[in-house]
Amino acid sequence: MEYMSDWLPGKFHIIGDIHGCGGALNALLEKLRPDPGTDTLILLGDLFDRGPDSWEVLQTVKALARDFGERFALLRGNHEDYLLQPRLSFHQRMVWDRVGRQATVASFKRHREKMESSVPWLQEHCRMYFKAPAFQCVHAGLLVDPIEANDAHTLLHDHEIVLRNRYSGPLTITGHIALDEPTWFAGDGENYEKIPYGKWLELPSQGILCIDTGCGKGGRLTAMTVENSAFLLTGQAEA
């Protein structure tokens, strides 16, 4: 299911790119305390690579998926895409090695598993996008509306769309591009706003809000909680 407009009222918790940082994920969940009975949990993808705990992150995410059921959504990020594609080009494999594949290999090896063992579960649970009544989520970016009109490279891999600040459609929450602070881009090519943590603010109606803040690169893991027409950002430094 890609569009979920008929859910019971409750909070939406959206978590940015985790990148194998199990300690940061656990600490952030402790701060959020999402309720599987009333809340929706959305992960923007890139569970693996860079950080030391990709295997542990997967176990935590599997448990969350069981607990939240239909109220759980995992987006396919570019790092999941590298793993799930049946065949990678030489260039793609070089890029993947450069952005942290070996950390995931090592994490799974410590538990006597190969990272490929996660493929069936990821294939079953990953989706390309998520839509809610007041916002939508993709991993990387959008060029046009509706989401279905964008190709996989745009949704999963593009690094320029958000920074060009040209998307002014319905509010879209993204990860993928590691920023110093969560940032809202108005979509007019000019205006943007860095968003503070710990303060309830009115939810924008359009543009892109990127919540990837460099977890796995020495930054923070960021979550966005949406309730009615307001949102709150919560951050957790890497352990």
Side-chain angles (χ1 to χ4, degrees):
M1 185 185 300
E2 302 288 4
Y3 185 72
M4 306 184 182
S5 61
D6 56 348
W7 287 12
L8 294 171
K11 295 178 181 178
F12 292 84
H13 299 283
I14 308 160
I15 297 179
D17 305 31
I18 300 165
H19 280 303
C21 296
L25 175 60
N26 292 334
L28 186 62
L29 290 169
E30 184 65 24
K31 289 180 178 179
L32 297 175
R33 293 187 176 273
D35 184 344
T38 60
D39 298 346
T40 301
L41 184 63
I42 306 158
L43 308 183
L44 293 182
D46 283 5
L47 303 181
F48 296 165
D49 302 340
R50 294 200 178 103
D53 307 318
S54 288
W55 185 90
E56 289 85 353
V57 166
L58 181 63
Q59 309 319 306
T60 298
V61 171
K62 284 182 174 181
L64 291 170
R66 290 192 296 268
D67 291 344
F68 281 81
E70 289 188 333
R71 293 181 177 272
F72 172 86
L74 169 61
L75 301 194
R76 181 167 175 158
N78 58 305
H79 287 255
E80 284 81 20
D81 196 48
Y82 290 136
L83 180 57
L84 294 177
Q85 285 191 53
R87 180 175 296 178
L88 295 178
S89 68
F90 176 76
H91 175 72
Q92 288 172 318
R93 183 162 288 277
M94 290 291 289
V95 170
W96 192 13
D97 283 339
R98 192 167 65 245
V99 296
R101 183 178 74 92
Q102 288 303 321
T104 301
V105 172
S107 176
F108 275 76
K109 187 176 181 179
R110 286 197 301 272
H111 296 275
R112 300 182 180 180
E113 292 186 27
K114 294 183 177 180
M115 65 178 178
E116 289 80 8
S117 65
S118 66
V119 166
W121 189 90
L122 291 172
Q123 286 176 328
E124 180 182 354
H125 288 85
C126 282
R127 64 183 70 200
M128 298 295 284
Y129 57 83
F130 177 92
K131 290 184 179 182
F135 65 91
Q136 55 193 11
C137 301
V138 302
H139 177 69
L142 289 181
L143 282 172
V144 296
D145 288 309
I147 290 176
E148 296 86 344
N150 295 270
D151 62 19
H153 178 81
T154 299
L155 297 175
L156 304 181
H157 290 273
D158 194 283
H159 279 89
E160 299 297 327
I161 292 172
V162 171
L163 297 178
R164 287 203 303 266
N165 195 5
R166 293 292 185 183
Y167 175 79
S168 59
L171 177 65
T172 304
I173 316 304
T174 70
H176 189 54
I177 301 171
L179 303 175
D180 291 337
E181 300 176 65
T183 304
W184 172 71
F185 298 88
D188 58 4
E190 181 177 352
N191 291 292
Y192 67 93
E193 182 178 350
K194 295 183 178 181
I195 308 298
Y197 290 96
K199 182 178 180 181
W200 283 98
L201 300 168
E202 184 178 355
L203 197 68
S205 61
Q206 90 292 330
I208 284 178
L209 206 167
C210 179
I211 64 169
D212 180 0
T213 46
C215 196
K217 294 181 175 181
R220 288 173 290 189
L221 181 60
T222 293
M224 177 177 176
T225 298
V226 179
E227 187 172 19
N228 299 321
S229 60
F231 75 99
L232 173 77
L233 296 180
T234 304
Q236 175 60 49
E238 292 181 33

